[in-house]
Amino acid sequence: MRLRKETDMATENMPEEEILLIANVSDALAHPARVKIFRYIMQANKAMVTVCNKDLVEHFDYAQATISQHVKKLVSSGLVEVKKKDKFSYYYANLGMLSRYLNATRKFSVM
C-alpha cells in the first residue's frame, strides 16, 4: 500500500533535520557496547572524572581498536565530544545532543 505524499502526516509535522538526528543517534546507540560506553562517559563526567581511551580499555573487556571504533561512532553522532590535550584525547558526553534526541523522539512518537 502506497501513501500519497499529500496525506503522509508522519513527516509533515517533523522537520527533516529532526528525522536525521533520530536516525544518526539511534544508529550510534544501536550497539550495546556503545550504550555502555556512552553511559560510562556520562557517569564519569557527572563525577567530574576525565575519561580517555585508556580508561575505557581498562573498564571494558574490549580491545583498544574496538573501543576506538565505538567511540568514533559516538563522536560522529554528536553524543560524545573529544578534547585533545597533549597526546591524550578526553571524552565528554554531549548532554545537549542527548536532550535534542530525546525531544525529537518524543515528537516522533506523537501522532
Side-chain angles (χ1 to χ4, degrees):
M1 178 175 165
R2 273 183 58 191
L3 295 176
R4 292 188 188 142
K5 191 169 185 165
E6 59 268 12
T7 62
D8 188 4
M9 300 298 272
T11 57
E12 261 183 40
N13 299 332
M14 239 181 147
E16 186 70 18
E17 178 184 313
E18 286 183 334
I19 292 170
L20 291 173
L21 173 90
I22 291 171
N24 289 332
V25 175
S26 293
D27 186 41
L29 294 174
H31 195 287
R34 288 193 290 269
V35 173
K36 291 174 187 176
I37 291 168
F38 181 63
R39 190 158 190 265
Y40 176 82
I41 293 170
M42 271 194 326
Q43 290 174 336
N45 292 168
K46 184 177 180 183
M48 304 297 274
V49 175
T50 58
V51 178
C52 67
N53 210 35
K54 181 186 93 161
D55 300 321
L56 295 174
V57 171
E58 287 176 2
H59 188 270
F60 295 99
D61 192 25
Y62 299 113
Q64 187 274 329
T66 303
I67 294 282
S68 293
Q69 289 301 310
H70 286 309
V71 169
K72 183 179 177 182
K73 187 77 167 178
L74 290 168
V75 169
S76 71
S77 74
L79 284 171
V80 171
E81 293 179 345
V82 182
K83 296 203 170 80
K84 295 188 186 261
K85 185 175 181 186
D86 299 323
K87 63 180 182 173
F88 297 101
S89 295
Y90 295 96
Y91 304 118
Y92 298 91
N94 183 348
L95 298 181
M97 178 58 78
L98 180 62
S99 179
R100 285 179 53 209
Y101 171 70
L102 294 173
N103 288 334
T105 55
R106 280 188 203 103
K107 284 184 192 177
F108 181 79
S109 64
V110 176
M111 289 197 206

